[in-house]
Amino acid sequence: MKPKNSRQNTYTKKMLNRIITVALLDMQFPFLLALLGKQDIAETMGGLIVTEIIGVFLVYCAKSFFETKESEKTRLLETQNETEDETYE
């Protein structure tokens, strides 16, 4: 079901916000580990978290693109059907 207002928070937007919030909080742990002298773990953990953020963002962008493409296709088909109906009347 499509929300009435495009700014309305959908389930996916809420989940994306939660994942990004958790990932940004997790970004603080490598700094803490580096301060404690565990640079190797900090570098690995930092890379994994950045990969997580980029992965979530790319998947969300792909999902949004295909949803928008499909809704525009549906809108265009409805518009064509309306014009054809007016032509025949």
Side-chain angles (χ1 to χ4, degrees):
M1 186 165 99
K2 186 171 173 112
K4 293 178 184 176
N5 186 355
S6 63
R7 298 234 183 235
Q8 182 178 356
N9 278 342
T10 60
Y11 174 76
T12 309
K13 287 181 184 179
K14 289 178 185 176
M15 285 307 297
L16 178 70
N17 286 334
R18 289 179 186 149
I19 291 170
I20 295 296
T21 301
V22 168
L24 291 176
L25 289 173
D26 287 347
M27 286 293 292
Q28 306 311 308
F29 292 122
F31 295 112
L32 181 62
L33 288 170
L35 286 174
L36 296 174
K38 312 235 182 207
Q39 286 84 10
D40 294 337
I41 297 171
E43 288 178 14
T44 304
M45 190 175 185
L48 290 173
I49 294 168
V50 169
T51 304
E52 172 192 350
I53 293 171
I54 292 171
V56 167
F57 178 74
L58 290 177
V59 169
Y60 181 74
C61 286
K63 177 196 163 294
S64 296
F65 171 76
F66 289 115
E67 281 183 353
T68 303
K69 181 180 173 185
E70 198 62 35
S71 68
E72 287 297 313
K73 182 179 175 182
T74 304
R75 187 183 62 80
L76 287 173
L77 287 173
E78 287 175 356
T79 305
Q80 287 176 352
N81 288 339
E82 288 175 3
T83 56
E84 288 175 1
D85 290 344
E86 290 174 2
T87 306
Y88 290 121
E89 291 179 354

